[in-house]
Amino acid sequence: MEVTTGHPRRWGILGVLVFSLLAVVLDNTILNVAMKTIADKTVGLGATQSELEWAINSYTLVFAGLLFTFGVIGDRTGRKRMLFIGMALFGLASLASAYSQDPMQLILARAAMGIGGAAIMPATLAIISNVFPPAERGKAIGVWAGGVGIAVAIGPITGGLLIEHFWWGSVFLVNVPIVVISMILIATIVPESRDPKPSRLDPVGVVLSIIGLVAVVYGIIRGGELATVASAEVLVPTLFGLAVLGVFVWWERRIDHPVFDVRSFVDARFSTAIGLMGIMFFAMMGGMFFLTFYLQIVLGFTPIQAGALMIPFAAAQLIFAPLSQRVNERFGAKLSAGVSMGVVTLVLASYAFLDQNTPIPLIEVIFFVQGAAMANIMPPATTAIMESLPREKAGVGSAMSNTVRQVSGALGVAVLGSVLSSSYRGGIAPALDGLPAGVQHAAGESIMATMGVVQQLGERGQALVQPAFHAFIEGMHITAAVSAVIALIGLAVVVRWMPGKPRAAKHAERREPVLSSSSG
């Protein structure tokens, strides 16, 4: 039933929901700063580059795979109950992550965190829609999105502070008090709600999607480890994963309650907007992966300094995201998204020119420009998604865009991480000649692995430092160029298919602005 007056405590409820999301969003931005420490054999877990990629992607793939299903289960059994259970799972998994004894335990614990995150995210938006009347819903979702933006902004600096003063597990342990406080507030303040006509579950679709995506990502990451795509260890899982995803698409087309309605992609506006989001997150997540090592290893910044260097990116998001909807309405989706995607392409290309001597103010400007451009891509894409779907399917559009963003980010980390790994292995190989064969292979996997060998060899190992820096920078340049080409494809998609101002304006008259904000 549509709420017309709103819940009397709706703004307090919104505060609880924003606070509940803080741990989920904070965790992902904190992890980026902590990667170098987790990779260290002395103070961390000695995780390899591929294991770090899995620590990121195990969370993301599980989260994306279960997002729809947990949204439906919440509609059936109660959204407050689902939010409470999700917070409990997230807190317990955070505890397990903090005290992981090896990289595999961390990867599994992060996957468990993904289960909790998938239960939390759809429940928060569904509760907002339930307690706020249509007239206030847009403002409420704006506050919710602002809270997410603040968490993104404080994540890197918080991670840096924790790594500087405590052990690496503190970046996960910090979630526990947030979770405990959230659970108390949820139990006492948030009202229960259900959908009187919930959708049916699609367990087959969920299983097929997770198996297919994990197999493809495994093959891609393994290709980076081996520096070849011709090995059976790469081809077999990748082709198997693609085949399973093909079966997934066939299955989703034939049932009337799909977990991911692939039929929506027949609409050019919908598929263009979803594709744009996917391409942007693919390029962005892959790029962010190498920046952590560039700042902390090549430039030698501490975790807290590296976190502080990312503040311009987050600040630009906070400044420009609230203004982006106005820009979209003024100039139209095609122009605003096209210009922004063009700027993102140039920024990613600029990373191909960074080196050991790049001035820090220039790096800060690049981060700020990238944050500002990305803040102006989401609203046009979201608006196009919502305009291409019937009003009653706004929730479906939101969930689909979230799923595509998460999956694209995971694939970006896998693909671009593998490009970086392959390039680095080729670049550092000549400098490793003379070392035992086993040491050569281990030291060549990533710059962190090479630095570990440098520490073991003492004075003799110092001769490897500059070759390692050069090999990494060369690999970063190639990876940046690949990500820029991918972003350029996104720009071409916008120019060719994204709707322009007249169509956007026409549909805007018919729809409430809240629907165009709900998945941002």
Side-chain angles (χ1 to χ4, degrees), residues 1-2 71-80 126 130 192-200 392 395-396:
M1 186 172 67
E2 178 87 301
V72 174
I73 292 174
D75 288 343
R76 282 172 171 270
T77 63
R79 291 147 183 163
K80 173 181 177 176
N130 187 68
E192 186 58 281
S193 65
R194 293 177 179 83
D195 187 342
K197 296 180 180 178
S199 304
R200 291 164 61 194
E392 63 273 15
V396 174

Side-chain angles (χ1 to χ4, degrees), residues 270-509:
F270 180 87
S271 53
T272 300
I274 286 278
L276 174 62
M277 275 203 210
I279 288 168
M280 185 184 74
F281 273 82
F282 183 101
M284 182 195 74
M285 290 297 291
M288 290 294 186
F289 186 77
F290 66 66
L291 282 175
T292 299
F293 298 102
Y294 171 69
L295 293 175
Q296 292 190 41
I297 298 179
V298 177
L299 298 188
F301 288 109
T302 64
I304 191 170
Q305 289 170 334
L309 287 171
M310 297 304 294
I311 288 176
F313 176 86
Q317 294 262 319
L318 285 176
I319 294 167
F320 291 99
L323 306 173
S324 57
Q325 192 63 41
R326 224 176 294 167
V327 174
N328 182 40
E329 290 168 2
R330 173 85 182 269
F331 299 104
K334 185 187 287 284
L335 184 59
S336 55
V339 170
S340 298
M341 201 66 200
V343 172
V344 168
T345 303
L346 292 173
V347 166
L348 292 171
S350 74
Y351 290 140
F353 298 95
L354 301 184
D355 57 30
Q356 285 177 263
N357 303 309
T358 303
I360 294 304
L362 179 58
I363 295 174
E364 296 291 79
V365 169
I366 291 171
F367 287 169
F368 185 84
V369 171
Q370 182 177 359
M374 286 179 55
N376 282 287
I377 290 175
M378 295 300 291
T382 304
T383 300
I385 289 169
M386 294 307 175
E387 286 176 350
S388 63
L389 293 172
R391 178 175 296 198
E392 63 273 15
K393 291 205 171 185
V396 174
S398 172
M400 287 181 78
S401 64
N402 267 314
T403 301
V404 168
R405 276 168 21 201
Q406 295 290 337
V407 170
S408 299
L411 290 173
V413 170
V415 173
L416 296 178
S418 293
V419 170
L420 178 62
S421 182
S422 297
S423 177
Y424 180 80
R425 190 181 285 282
I428 194 64
L432 299 176
D433 283 344
L435 294 176
V439 176
Q440 276 188 44
H441 184 82
E445 206 230 20
S446 68
I447 190 169
M448 273 306 303
T450 308
M451 291 297 112
V453 171
V454 168
Q455 287 180 346
Q456 291 172 15
L457 294 177
E459 296 249 342
R460 279 174 51 224
Q462 290 303 308
L464 292 175
V465 173
Q466 281 307 314
F469 287 174
H470 289 311
F472 178 84
I473 289 171
E474 183 66 27
M476 184 178 81
H477 289 172
I478 292 170
T479 308
V482 172
S483 64
V485 169
I486 292 164
L488 192 61
I489 293 170
L491 176 58
V493 167
V494 172
V495 172
R496 176 65 182 83
W497 288 292
M498 181 67 83
K501 187 177 179 182
R503 178 175 285 187
K506 179 181 174 183
H507 282 264
E509 291 173 6

Side-chain angles (χ1 to χ4, degrees), residues 62-133:
V62 170
F63 180 97
L66 294 176
L67 197 62
F68 271 95
T69 299
F70 279 4
V72 174
I73 292 174
D75 288 343
R76 282 172 171 270
T77 63
R79 291 147 183 163
K80 173 181 177 176
R81 179 180 299 174
M82 181 56 69
L83 180 59
F84 191 88
I85 292 171
M87 291 303 299
L89 284 172
F90 194 86
L92 290 171
S94 296
L95 203 59
S97 296
Y99 291 101
S100 297
Q101 300 300 303
D102 58 54
M104 181 52 70
Q105 286 183 21
L106 178 60
I107 290 165
L108 294 174
R110 287 278 298 160
M113 288 174 70
I115 298 174
I120 294 165
M121 183 68 79
T124 56
L125 279 173
I127 292 168
I128 288 173
S129 295
N130 187 68
V131 300
F132 279 89

Side-chain angles (χ1 to χ4, degrees), residues 138-197:
K139 185 177 179 182
I141 291 174
V143 172
W144 176 87
V148 172
I150 290 170
V152 170
I154 65 175
I157 194 76
T158 304
L161 282 167
L162 290 169
I163 292 292
E164 197 101 336
H165 294 96
F166 305 100
W167 99 112
W168 65 267
S170 62
V171 301
F172 299 109
L173 202 60
V174 72
N175 295 334
V176 176
I178 298 174
V179 165
V180 171
I181 295 169
S182 294
M183 289 174 70
I184 294 169
L185 293 173
I186 291 164
T188 54
I189 296 175
V190 176
E192 186 58 281
S193 65
R194 293 177 179 83
D195 187 342
K197 296 180 180 178

